[in-house]
Amino acid sequence: MTMKKNFSIILIILYIFVNGQAKRFFYEFSYKPNKDSSRIEKELTILDVTKQKSIYRDYLSVSQDSMIESNIEKMKATGVQIDLAKLLKNPKFMYKVQKTYPTYETQFTDLILSDFITYPETEKINWKITNEKGVSTFEKYKIQKATATLWGRTWTAWFTPDIPIQDGPYKFYGLPGLIVKVEDEQKNFSWELAGIKNIEKYNELSLNERLKNKKPLVVDKNKFTQMFAEFKTSPLAQVRNRYSAEQLNETEEGGKTLGQKLKDQEETIKKMIGANNQSIELVQ
């Protein structure tokens, strides 16, 4: 490990552990769900930073944990069953990005049907830091501009040396300070820092991950891209393969066959995918 990396990690540790186990950075993620869409969607996402790593994900994936846990405790105490499925909302984005310090090795994990699939991101970010400076809209941090071409898009980032963490939302990292804003040239995707919180009792796994208790399948990026493309084409192919032709043709309650029910569910999933089908990365 170089002296520069050592010093960088020391700064991260000092910054994080003054007040808690982890530092949570909230980013407002703005995006066009489709290439030609004039509508802008917004989601709250988080970057959790510890001394060993960072994890980026949809805030909804962890914000419901306390509510679920309290209801589980209530069921244990009263013996009365609660349908937790009716209380839950599905995050718009099921993926998470983990970066391991000090190398910033990046792992992308997504949920394909009921399986977690992980691949290592090998492409490095070659930032060009400019002399352009300014002040951020959040907390009035001093910020500086940098640009990079990555995944088929040109990105502009603003970072602040006031927060000595060389990290940022999604897969972005590698600037001499926290990235407080980053967006592509066409403004299809944008992340902007919206809040900071100390986390005293931090668990890097969401409750959903803990309940599933599944190890992710590790593949390379090309294999992941192929698997995800197949999932979008036929989301329930794996489920259908578990049944025989006779079982799929059996009529169930409501007058529909199991095959018809699966087809209806598949169409619903396809519509959800189609409503948000613009990829951050044009080049896989």
Side-chain angles (χ1 to χ4, degrees), residues 111-116 205 208-217 242:
L111 187 66
I112 296 182
L113 199 53
S114 60
D115 296 318
F116 292 108
L205 296 177
N208 183 37
E209 290 172 307
R210 280 176 269 157
L211 291 173
K212 284 182 181 295
N213 194 26
K214 281 186 175 182
K215 287 188 176 180
L217 172 65
R242 296 172 191 165

Side-chain angles (χ1 to χ4, degrees), residues 122-127 147-151 171-174 179:
T122 57
E123 189 166 358
K124 304 301 179 184
I125 309 176
N126 296 313
W127 292 107
T147 61
T149 299
L150 190 68
W151 313 309
K171 298 178 182 178
F172 299 104
Y173 71 93
I179 295 171

Side-chain angles (χ1 to χ4, degrees), residues 26-248:
F26 294 85
Y27 286 89
E28 184 178 72
F29 176 42
S30 304
Y31 63 97
K32 291 181 180 180
N34 293 285
K35 183 180 178 181
D36 299 321
S37 175
S38 58
R39 187 177 81 257
I40 299 291
E41 299 278 354
K42 293 180 183 290
E43 295 294 327
L44 189 61
T45 65
I46 52 173
L47 177 74
D48 290 340
V49 177
T50 70
K51 65 179 180 180
Q52 298 96 359
K53 65 180 70 173
S54 69
I55 296 176
Y56 170 81
R57 54 193 152 185
D58 192 319
Y59 180 51
L60 191 58
S61 65
V62 298
S63 63
Q64 301 181 104
D65 283 3
S66 58
M67 179 269 291
I68 299 168
E69 288 170 337
S70 65
N71 277 284
I72 289 173
E73 290 303 315
K74 190 183 294 183
M75 284 192 286
K76 288 179 181 177
T78 63
V80 177
Q81 292 297 310
I82 300 171
D83 189 351
L84 294 176
K86 290 183 178 179
L87 302 176
L88 295 176
K89 295 181 180 179
N90 289 322
K92 282 283 184 71
F93 306 101
M94 299 299 293
Y95 65 79
K96 71 175 183 179
V97 179
Q98 177 178 295
K99 308 183 195 92
T100 303
Y101 301 147
T103 60
Y104 289 86
E105 290 180 10
T106 302
Q107 298 277 339
F108 181 94
T109 302
D110 207 347
L111 187 66
I112 296 182
L113 199 53
S114 60
D115 296 318
F116 292 108
I117 314 295
T118 293
Y119 69 82
E121 177 58 73
T122 57
E123 189 166 358
K124 304 301 179 184
I125 309 176
N126 296 313
W127 292 107
K128 293 180 181 178
I129 298 176
T130 74
N131 293 322
E132 190 173 344
K133 297 180 180 179
V135 178
S136 71
T137 56
F138 175 77
E139 295 293 337
K140 304 302 179 185
Y141 290 117
K142 293 177 182 177
I143 56 176
Q144 191 167 349
K145 184 179 176 181
T147 61
T149 299
L150 190 68
W151 313 309
R153 297 185 188 276
T154 299
W155 301 92
T156 297
W158 292 88
F159 66 94
T160 177
D162 294 340
I163 301 179
I165 296 174
Q166 297 178 17
D167 212 335
Y170 192 59
K171 298 178 182 178
F172 299 104
Y173 71 93
L175 287 166
L178 184 77
I179 295 171
V180 298
K181 184 174 181 179
V182 58
E183 64 183 4
D184 71 295
E185 195 171 33
Q186 285 73 38
K187 301 188 186 300
N188 289 299
F189 300 97
S190 174
W191 292 261
E192 188 162 5
L193 186 65
I196 302 173
K197 182 180 180 181
N198 296 313
I199 308 296
E200 293 296 335
K201 295 179 180 179
Y202 180 67
N203 193 324
E204 68 177 67
L205 296 177
S206 68
L207 185 58
N208 183 37
E209 290 172 307
R210 280 176 269 157
L211 291 173
K212 284 182 181 295
N213 194 26
K214 281 186 175 182
K215 287 188 176 180
L217 172 65
V218 181
V219 298
D220 62 26
K221 191 172 184 178
N222 288 336
K223 179 63 176 177
F224 173 86
T225 303
Q226 177 191 337
M227 292 172 71
F228 196 70
E230 290 171 354
F231 170 70
K232 288 193 292 184
T233 302
S234 185
L236 298 180
Q238 291 181 29
V239 176
R240 270 198 307 275
N241 290 338
R242 296 172 191 165
Y243 298 96
S244 65
E246 291 78 12
Q247 289 173 314
L248 290 171

